[in-house]
Amino acid sequence: MKTIQPLLFLLLGLLIIFTSCRSENDLSIDPPTEQALTANSAVAILMMKTASNDGSSDNIIDSANCLSVQLPVTITVNGTTLIINNEDDYQEIEDIIDLFNDDIDSIVLSYPIVVVLEDYSTVTVNSDTELAALASNCAGENDFDDDIECIDFQYPITASVFNINNDVINTLTINNDNDMYNFIDDLDQFTAVTINFPIVLLLADGTTQNVSTIQELENAIEAAEDTCDEDDDYDYDDDDCDFCTTNDLDNIFATCTDWEVSELERNDNDLTDTYNGYLFTFNNDGTITVVQGATTWSGTWTALGTGNNITLTISVNGLPDFNNTWNLVEIEQEPGEADFDLRLGEDSLSFLSGC
């Protein structure tokens, strides 16, 4: 009996020690209640809206904000057939449409095509009628929609999945918006989930933000939701100056002189040929010199604003067709050539320099 009693005490002590160690280990992997990501919570809904498929980037093709055409796709633009392999190729469509402002533009899709919806599910579409039926479910131009485009996740992001005993049973790696959308959509299948912080968010202005908690993540998405132009309209060229500055104009004016009028349309009248041979120089002191043969005109220019809201005011004595406050819509500079485009309602003015 004296031999058994010390043995019982020894076994009891080992049991207490084992239990204590197990409890400490459990506490170390318990998902903190305030950090758990739950289905239908405010932050989960915001994350899903941020990760949903943005259908506005290809509005030049489908005029629909809530769906996108899966690439590659073959289209015919004003009689020219193009194969669009990636989003950079949308510029080819715009270049053809930009050639003339007084023609009727036509974009014809070669069916069948595959359309990607907001939840990344796909639908095969066989006609313009079928595409229009799907597009009718989208919000209209610049109307409010659920998609949050002013903030994005920087991937990869990992998440820990716990079972009912608070043991980590899986670590998920989320590599893109499609993965994130499906992850949020499946939250109700998990006992408990946490995001492995910190993570990085990408803001519309190109900066980044680090967040370390669920609450910080929720706050960041809410704060960024309406801080940018989501470009949910169907105007293919209204976002060409997203990152333009008046310094860009200063730079091309300093580099390039002898600007020719490559297009001028006022009140539905094409005046381009009228100004053939007129050479404009935009001086850095805000003056303009125009030369045509032996004749010279003088004027002024002023640029104000940022991005897609830059205005260029031109005033030249004796040349009233140019005088107004124009909206800058595009600046392009390549080796040996530079141009910039201005709009004012239906009127348009473009300059080209071989510098």
Side-chain angles (χ1 to χ4, degrees):
M1 190 69 176
K2 287 182 180 180
T3 304
I4 295 176
Q5 189 171 10
L7 181 60
L8 288 176
F9 281 124
L10 177 61
L11 290 174
L12 181 60
L14 290 173
L15 180 61
I16 292 172
I17 292 171
F18 174 79
T19 303
S20 299
C21 292
R22 174 63 180 161
S23 297
E24 275 186 40
N25 190 50
D26 281 349
L27 287 172
S28 69
I29 64 171
D30 277 354
T33 302
E34 68 276 9
Q35 294 302 324
L37 182 60
T38 57
N40 300 315
S41 62
V43 67
I45 292 171
L46 288 170
M47 292 172 70
M48 179 173 280
K49 289 180 177 180
T50 302
S52 64
N53 179 43
D54 173 20
S56 64
S57 61
D58 69 345
N59 281 353
I60 192 170
I61 293 177
D62 58 26
S63 297
N65 292 317
C66 69
L67 56 86
S68 56
V69 177
Q70 191 175 85
L71 303 180
V73 65
T74 301
I75 66 172
T76 302
V77 184
N78 294 351
T80 299
T81 299
L82 301 174
I83 298 176
I84 307 302
N85 291 299
N86 52 60
E87 291 194 4
D88 290 339
D89 291 341
Y90 297 150
Q91 184 63 45
E92 295 185 46
I93 305 173
E94 184 173 332
D95 289 343
I96 293 174
I97 292 175
D98 277 346
L99 286 175
F100 305 100
N101 284 325
D102 55 356
D103 62 342
I104 298 175
D105 296 311
S106 171
I107 297 178
V108 179
L109 288 160
S110 297
Y111 295 98
I113 61 172
V114 176
V115 168
V116 184
L117 305 182
E118 284 182 304
D119 62 357
Y120 296 95
S121 61
T122 59
V123 179
T124 299
V125 175
N126 296 293
S127 67
D128 287 341
T129 301
E130 292 181 14
L131 180 60
L134 286 173
S136 67
N137 296 316
C138 301
E141 286 191 88
N142 294 317
D143 289 344
F144 174 80
D145 60 12
D146 288 337
D147 182 30
I148 297 176
E149 301 173 37
C150 300
I151 192 168
D152 291 298
F153 297 103
Q154 181 171 289
Y155 299 104
I157 293 172
T158 60
S160 295
V161 179
F162 297 79
N163 64 12
I164 196 171
N165 296 319
N166 291 328
D167 295 319
V168 175
I169 58 172
N170 198 7
T171 298
L172 304 177
T173 300
I174 303 166
N175 292 305
N176 50 51
D177 281 343
N178 192 346
D179 288 348
M180 179 64 79
Y181 190 97
N182 291 334
F183 166 68
I184 299 297
D185 196 38
D186 292 340
L187 279 177
D188 57 357
Q189 299 180 19
F190 304 127
T191 301
V193 179
T194 60
I195 296 292
N196 295 331
F197 291 104
I199 64 172
V200 179
L201 303 175
L202 308 175
L203 304 180
D205 63 2
T207 61
T208 60
Q209 179 177 349
N210 294 324
V211 296
S212 300
T213 66
I214 283 289
Q215 189 60 55
E216 287 181 13
L217 177 57
E218 181 177 342
N219 294 344
I221 297 176
E222 284 184 336
E225 187 169 1
D226 298 315
T227 58
C228 70
D229 177 8
E230 295 191 346
D231 198 29
D232 283 342
D233 54 44
Y234 310 148
D235 187 349
Y236 54 86
D237 65 356
D238 74 336
D239 61 344
D240 288 341
C241 259
D242 276 344
F243 303 105
C244 291
T245 67
T246 56
N247 285 337
D248 293 331
L249 280 176
D250 293 337
N251 291 335
I252 63 169
F253 290 163
T255 305
C256 304
T257 58
D258 295 339
W259 292 90
E260 299 178 1
V261 178
S262 58
E263 180 183 9
L264 176 59
E265 185 169 330
R266 300 299 302 267
N267 302 315
D268 292 327
N269 296 313
D270 188 349
L271 304 177
T272 307
D273 290 341
T274 303
Y275 294 98
N276 185 33
Y278 284 65
L279 300 178
F280 287 66
T281 297
F282 295 82
N283 303 301
N284 60 12
D285 62 356
T287 61
I288 300 175
T289 303
V290 184
V291 177
Q292 197 274 329
T295 307
T296 300
W297 294 264
S298 297
T300 60
W301 67 273
T302 305
L304 297 171
T306 59
N308 290 302
N309 297 309
I310 294 177
T311 60
L312 179 63
T313 301
I314 296 175
S315 177
V316 180
N317 295 327
L319 298 177
D321 290 331
F322 297 90
N323 298 341
N324 221 313
T325 297
W326 300 84
N327 299 309
L328 178 67
V329 297
E330 188 169 22
I331 301 175
E332 288 190 316
Q333 186 166 14
E334 300 175 357
E337 183 176 283
D339 65 82
F340 63 96
D341 300 330
L342 307 170
R343 296 287 186 274
L344 183 60
E346 296 298 318
D347 294 345
S348 60
L349 172 59
S350 298
F351 288 95
L352 176 68
S353 176
C355 61

